[in-house]
Amino acid sequence: MDIRIGLGWDNHRIAAGRLLILGGVTVPCEFGLDGHSDADVLAHAITDALLGALALGDIGLHFPDSDPRWKGCDSLVFLRHAAGLVREAGYRIANIDSTVILQRPKLKDYRLPIREKLAETLELDVNQVSVKFKTAEQVGPVGEGLSAEAQALATLVRATT
Ligand code: C5P
Ligand code: MG
C-alpha cells in the first residue's frame, strides 16, 4: 500500500496555573491545559494521527499516563517517537492537517511559530504542516471555556529509497 491516512483527536480540560502549550509553543494566557504530560492537545492529536496511519494503536498505548516517566513530559517527545515509527515502517509524511478548537485566546498570531515547531519536530517543510483554529461559538464545553480540543489528519506515502 502506497498511501496511508490517520486520524487523531484529543481533548484537555482548561486549568488555572498551567501552561497553554500548543504544538510545542507556549501561548501567553492566564490559564492552561491540565494533563499528565504537558497537555499539548495539538501534539497529542497529531501523534495519534501518525499512529493511526500505521495502525499502531494510540498515544496511551505507547506512553501510558500511569507511567511517571511521562509526568510533565514535553509532548514533542511523543510526536518525534511517532515520526520515527513512520520512518521505520518505510513511509514518509506527505502532509499534516490539524484544527485546534479553543474559545479563547486568539491563536492566529501563533500559527506560523506552531507550524515551524511541528515541522522541525517532524523533519518536514513548513508547507507540509497546516494548523487551523476555531472557536466553538460559545457552545458546549469548549465554547464555555472548560476544555480545548484538537483534530489532526496525517497522510503517509511509501518512502522511495
Ligand atoms: O470559530 P470561528 O469560525 O469564529 O473562528 C474565526 C477565525 O478566528 C478562525 O478562522 C481563526 O483564524 C481565528 N481563531 C483564532 N483563535 C481561536 C479561534 C479562532 O485565532 N481560538
Ligand atoms: Mg492528550
Side-chain angles (χ1 to χ4, degrees):
M1 208 187 304
D2 289 328
I3 295 178
R4 302 190 68 122
I5 294 174
L7 172 69
W9 176 88
D10 197 24
N11 176 46
H12 281 263
R13 192 182 285 272
I14 281 174
R18 293 269 307 180
L19 293 175
L20 178 59
I21 300 174
L22 297 170
V25 172
T26 302
V27 175
C29 188
E30 80 276 17
F31 57 77
L33 298 178
D34 204 7
H36 183 70
S37 66
D38 67 359
D40 184 336
V41 68
L42 177 57
H44 294 180
I46 297 173
T47 300
D48 261 3
L50 295 173
L51 294 174
L54 298 168
L56 285 177
D58 57 36
I59 194 168
L61 180 72
H62 294 258
F63 303 98
D65 64 6
S66 52
D67 188 331
R69 270 183 303 169
W70 315 125
K71 186 160 171 52
C73 180
D74 174 357
S75 295
L76 297 184
V77 168
F78 309 153
L79 198 52
R80 220 172 270 120
H81 178 78
L85 293 175
V86 171
R87 281 188 287 273
E88 277 174 31
Y91 286 88
R92 65 176 181 83
I93 300 168
N95 76 299
I96 300 286
D97 188 18
S98 66
T99 304
V100 176
I101 309 120
L102 184 61
Q103 191 59 41
R104 70 175 189 88
K106 278 285 173 208
L107 297 167
K108 58 184 167 40
D109 291 347
Y110 299 93
R111 192 190 321 269
L112 186 57
I114 292 171
R115 292 175 65 211
E116 286 173 342
K117 177 64 84 174
L118 290 169
E120 179 197 318
T121 305
L122 296 168
E123 299 181 29
L124 297 175
D125 197 278
V126 75
N127 69 21
Q128 292 172 285
V129 183
S130 157
V131 179
K132 310 188 301 301
F133 306 115
K134 296 298 285 181
T135 69
E137 299 290 348
Q138 298 177 315
V139 176
V142 176
E144 289 168 15
L146 298 176
S147 60
E149 284 184 19
Q151 305 173 337
L153 277 175
T155 307
L156 312 184
V157 291
R158 171 83 46 207
T160 49
T161 47

